[in-house]
Amino acid sequence: GENVEQHPSTLSVQEGDSAVIKCTYSDSASNYFPWYKQELGKRPQLIIDIRSNVGEKKDQRIAVTLNKTAKHFSLHITETQPEDSAVYFCAAPREAAGNKLTFGGGTRVLVKP
Amino acid sequence: EPEVTQTPSHQVTQMGQEVILRCVPISNHLYFYWYRQILGQKVEFLVSFYNNEISEKSEIFDDQFSVERPDGSNFTLKIRSTKLEDSAMYFCASKIVFGVGQPQHFGDGTRLSIL
């Protein structure tokens, strides 16, 4: 089955700096990669996703890049703000059956004011 | 914006008791999921459900677990005889159509505490 590895597990940045989180996946058939943000005690919330026919996608301060050859994708947050503090999960869905999501281990991001 | 809703938000149950977690997926969604998240760990897939049957289930989803869509709106997860290790946050998710490019939308979760 799909295996998703995520690094780093924790990330502390100064407000205004950038944060980068990286994920690798094992199934070369995967072609859709969502990123979820989870605040303490809350639901995972989809913040951005990318399909394999593009290499990069941006939405304001958030961007995701994808390298299908190397089987990795990354989340970039620029000009970080305290409200960006949360746990971020990458995921990859399975093509077959019910398209279950396999999540990475999560990255706890702390933005220090 | 439509949301997936889950009840209760917190359930405390004695070990060995049955528990039912309830979810109302987004109304025009056709695919439904349960995931769980043990405190401080990643989200893990339990089961997917479509057209009134299970599409896929994980190793965690043993014969103590069952899912049901008893009517046109609710989607339930039942744990027959709870164990201490079932303590976790349980998330319901739904999506509109088949295809990996469609996002799954999550509910706020039910925190299940087994005593």
Side-chain angles (χ1 to χ4, degrees):
Chain A
E2 177 75 279
N3 186 40
V4 179
E5 299 285 336
Q6 184 172 344
H7 299 280
S9 56
T10 59
L11 183 57
S12 183
V13 297
Q14 281 301 131
E15 183 177 356
D17 288 351
S18 295
V20 181
I21 305 169
K22 298 182 179 180
C23 286
T24 60
Y25 60 97
S26 59
D27 187 352
S28 56
S30 294
N31 60 13
Y32 169 72
F33 305 93
W35 283 92
Y36 286 86
K37 175 183 180 182
Q38 187 179 33
E39 295 173 8
L40 191 62
K42 299 281 185 70
R43 71 179 75 188
Q45 194 132 22
L46 179 72
I47 55 171
I48 196 168
D49 54 18
I50 190 168
R51 289 162 178 77
S52 62
N53 57 341
V54 297
E56 182 175 359
K57 181 177 177 181
K58 288 182 85 167
D59 183 3
Q60 299 180 359
R61 296 186 296 107
I62 294 172
V64 56
T65 58
L66 171 65
N67 183 328
K68 279 223 77 179
T69 305
K71 291 194 281 188
H72 67 71
F73 57 111
S74 300
L75 178 73
H76 304 253
I77 308 173
T78 58
E79 299 170 35
T80 51
Q81 298 167 6
E83 53 263 37
D84 295 328
S85 296
V87 179
Y88 292 80
F89 290 97
C90 61
R94 197 161 111 84
E95 279 286 338
N99 303 150
K100 69 171 187 181
L101 286 173
T102 298
F103 284 84
T107 298
R108 183 172 301 279
V109 173
L110 175 63
V111 180
K112 294 182 284 188
Chain B
E1 187 178 327
E3 290 185 340
V4 175
T5 58
Q6 290 185 244
T7 54
S9 56
H10 192 190
Q11 173 82 45
V12 182
T13 301
Q14 291 288 331
M15 186 172 61
Q17 295 296 304
E18 175 183 285
V19 65
I20 297 176
L21 310 183
R22 301 180 195 280
C23 169
V24 179
I26 296 172
S27 64
N28 60 343
H29 285 195
L30 301 177
Y31 291 83
F32 314 117
Y33 305 84
W34 284 101
Y35 292 84
R36 81 170 185 190
Q37 186 178 32
I38 294 170
L39 189 64
Q41 298 186 22
K42 67 178 177 181
V43 179
E44 299 175 287
F45 168 77
L46 291 178
V47 66
S48 58
F49 191 86
Y50 168 69
N51 201 24
N52 281 321
E53 59 182 32
I54 291 173
S55 308
E56 187 176 4
K57 58 185 180 180
S58 71
E59 293 169 355
I60 303 166
F61 195 89
D62 61 23
D63 56 8
Q64 292 300 307
F65 289 84
S66 62
V67 288
E68 195 177 36
R69 187 151 163 84
D71 53 43
S73 59
N74 289 285
F75 178 51
T76 61
L77 174 70
K78 182 196 288 188
I79 309 175
R80 254 179 283 282
S81 178
T82 49
K83 303 189 276 282
L84 292 175
E85 53 265 37
D86 294 328
S87 295
M89 192 74 147
Y90 288 80
F91 291 104
C92 174
S94 69
K95 73 173 186 171
I96 191 166
V97 292
F98 185 76
V100 296
Q102 297 298 324
Q104 293 183 25
H105 297 269
F106 284 75
D108 278 333
T110 293
R111 181 168 299 284
L112 178 62
S113 301
I114 307 300
L115 304 179

